[in-house]
Amino acid sequence: MAAENRSNAPRVIIWFLVIAALVAGAIVYTRVDPTETPVRLALVTADSDPYWDAVIQGAQATADELGVELTVLKSDGTLENQNQHLNRVAAGNYSGLAVSPVDGTRQALALREMSNAMPVVTIDADSELSGRLCFVGPDNYSAGRRCGELLKEAAPDGAKVVIISGPMEKENGRLRRQGFIDEVLGRSYGPGRPMDALDAPLEGDGYTIVATYVDPIDPEQAKANVAAALENHSDVTAVVGLYAYHVPAAVAALEEAGKTGSVEVIGFDDREETLVGIAEGRVFGTIAQDQYSYGRSSIRLLTDVARADTAEQYVGVPMKGHINYPPIMVKRESLDEFMNERDGSRALLAVRATPGE
C-alpha cells in the first residue's frame, strides 16, 4: 500500500503543477487592462476669470474623448479658497490633479504631499519645488519679453510706462513682468534674474518703468490702479497689463480720464474686449496664449500616467518637466488671421474630441 502511494506521488505533483499553471495563466489573462481602469481627474483654476473658460473647454473635450471623469473646481483668486479646493481633492479618490497655483512657493509643501499620492500637473503658473510631474503653459519670461517687443513697436522713440499686475506671489506675473522689463531696458536674456523693485523707477534705452501697481485679481481695483497711475504720473504714455482682465480695465480707466488714444495699451490674452480694442485702435496689441491646448495637454498627460502599469513605463513627460506653448503676438494687422486660426483650431479639436468619432 505504501509503495502504491509512493508511485502516485509524482502524478499528484504533476497535476498540482498543471493546475497552478492554469490558474496563473487565467490570472494573467484576466488582468485588468489599464485603459479600462476608471480615472477621476481634478482641475483647480487659479481664479474665476473668463481666461479659464478655454482651458476648461480643452480639458473637458479631452476627458470626454478619453473616457475619464473630470471635476472642475474654480477658485476665487484667494490662497485660502484654492487650498480648500486642494484639500477636497486630496481627500477624494482622484487619479490626478491639474492646478494653477495661486502662490507656488507657499503651496509647494502641500502640493508635494499631493504629488506623492497622485500625479500633479501645474498649468499657466508653476511651483517648481512641489514635486509636480510637469508644467503646461507658456514660457512666461519669454512671453514678457514679447510684450516688451510690442511696446517698442508701439513707442519706438521711448515711453514712460506703468505696469499693472496681479499678486506678485503668482509665478507667471513675476516672470512676465521681469521679462518685459528686461526687454524694454535692453538687458540680456535672464529668466533667473532677481525681480526688480515694484516702486522704484527703472530706466534704460529711452524707456522708463515708472511704477508697478498690484491688485488682488480684481478688475475694479485694476481699473482704480490705472486711474491712480494717471493721476500720480501725468506724463505716462503707456500702460501694460500682465493679466487678461487688465487691458479692459485700462481701456475703461483711460476713457473716463479722457486719455483714449494718447496712452498706448498693451497686455496679455485674447479676451473679447481686448480683441475689440485692437480692432478699434484703442489697444495696440496683446500677447495671446493657447489655453485650450493647456487643458488638452494636461488631461491627456494625467490620463496616460494614471493608466500606465507603473510610473517607469510612462515616458511621455518631457525631460525638463515643461510643455511650453509659444506666446502669440496679436496686433491690428494680424488680428483676422489670429481669430481664424484660434476659432478654427478649437472647433476642429472639439470635433475630434467627440466620443465615437
Side-chain angles (χ1 to χ4, degrees):
M1 186 70 175
E4 181 179 346
N5 288 339
R6 282 196 300 271
S7 65
N8 289 333
R11 190 175 304 170
V12 171
I13 293 173
I14 291 172
W15 275 109
F16 175 80
L17 293 175
V18 169
I19 293 172
L22 291 172
V23 170
I27 292 174
V28 171
Y29 182 77
T30 59
R31 181 172 60 86
V32 176
D33 185 340
T35 61
E36 299 300 325
T37 303
V39 175
R40 297 180 65 236
L41 304 178
L43 169 61
V44 179
T45 68
D47 50 63
S48 57
D49 189 88
Y51 167 88
W52 291 101
D53 292 348
V55 176
I56 294 169
Q57 290 169 11
Q60 189 62 64
T62 306
D64 294 342
E65 176 187 6
L66 300 177
V68 304
E69 179 184 338
L70 176 64
T71 299
V72 177
L73 301 171
K74 287 188 176 182
S75 303
D76 65 6
T78 65
L79 180 64
E80 179 183 9
N81 180 253
Q82 188 179 65
N83 283 342
Q84 290 173 353
H85 289 321
L86 293 177
N87 289 337
R88 175 180 168 184
V89 174
N93 186 27
Y94 286 93
S95 312
L97 166 68
V99 60
S100 180
V102 169
D103 187 335
T105 301
R106 293 171 63 184
Q107 293 173 294
L109 181 59
L111 290 175
R112 178 171 287 277
E113 291 178 356
M114 295 185 73
S115 69
N116 289 332
M118 69 184 79
V120 174
V121 169
T122 53
I123 303 177
D124 189 62
D126 200 5
S127 177
E128 292 189 348
L129 300 179
S130 65
R132 50 89 173 129
L133 181 71
C134 187
F135 166 73
V136 179
D139 179 334
N140 282 296
Y141 178 82
S142 295
R145 294 200 75 115
R146 293 284 281 170
C147 187
E149 292 174 15
L150 269 179
L151 175 70
K152 291 193 289 189
E153 286 189 33
D157 298 325
K160 292 196 173 181
V161 187
V162 165
I163 300 174
I164 52 175
S165 176
M168 285 292 104
E169 292 81 10
K170 284 179 65 63
E171 184 228 39
N172 55 347
R174 288 199 311 271
L175 288 175
R176 290 176 189 176
R177 176 179 178 270
Q178 197 59 52
F180 172 80
I181 291 172
D182 290 350
E183 177 65 31
V184 168
L185 302 188
R187 295 173 178 171
S188 62
Y189 188 89
R193 185 175 285 116
M195 186 178 77
D196 283 296
L198 298 178
D199 53 356
L202 306 167
E203 299 183 5
D205 280 8
Y207 297 90
T208 301
I209 312 297
V210 176
T212 299
Y213 288 73
V214 177
D215 64 77
I217 313 295
D218 183 345
E220 288 302 316
Q221 184 59 54
K223 178 182 173 183
N225 284 349
V226 175
L230 296 174
E231 184 176 345
N232 296 334
H233 309 281
S234 59
D235 56 349
V236 164
T237 57
V239 174
V240 173
L242 302 182
Y243 286 38
Y245 60 92
H246 284 143
V247 167
V251 168
L254 287 168
E255 184 175 358
E256 291 184 5
K259 292 192 174 183
T260 299
S262 62
V263 176
E264 298 288 359
V265 178
I266 295 168
F268 277 80
D269 301 319
D270 59 349
R271 184 174 284 191
E272 294 306 313
E273 302 98 311
T274 298
L275 300 179
V276 169
I278 293 174
E280 295 177 346
R282 291 179 293 162
V283 177
F284 182 80
T286 190
I287 302 299
Q289 304 181 63
D290 189 357
Q291 302 102 291
Y292 193 92
S293 291
Y294 299 172
R296 283 187 63 82
S297 292
S298 300
I299 298 306
R300 183 173 293 280
L301 178 61
L302 289 172
T303 301
D304 287 348
V305 173
R307 285 176 171 166
D309 289 326
T310 64
E312 290 75 15
Q313 287 185 2
Y314 186 73
V315 294
V317 180
M319 289 292 292
K320 293 184 178 181
H322 287 74
I323 299 176
N324 289 135
Y325 289 85
I328 307 165
M329 185 183 289
V330 183
K331 300 178 290 185
R332 193 170 187 177
E333 55 267 32
S334 61
L335 181 59
D336 288 343
E337 180 183 1
F338 168 75
M339 292 292 292
N340 290 334
E341 290 184 359
R342 182 196 70 168
D343 295 341
S345 296
R346 289 180 184 175
L348 180 61
L349 288 170
V351 169
R352 288 177 177 171
T354 302
E357 293 193 4

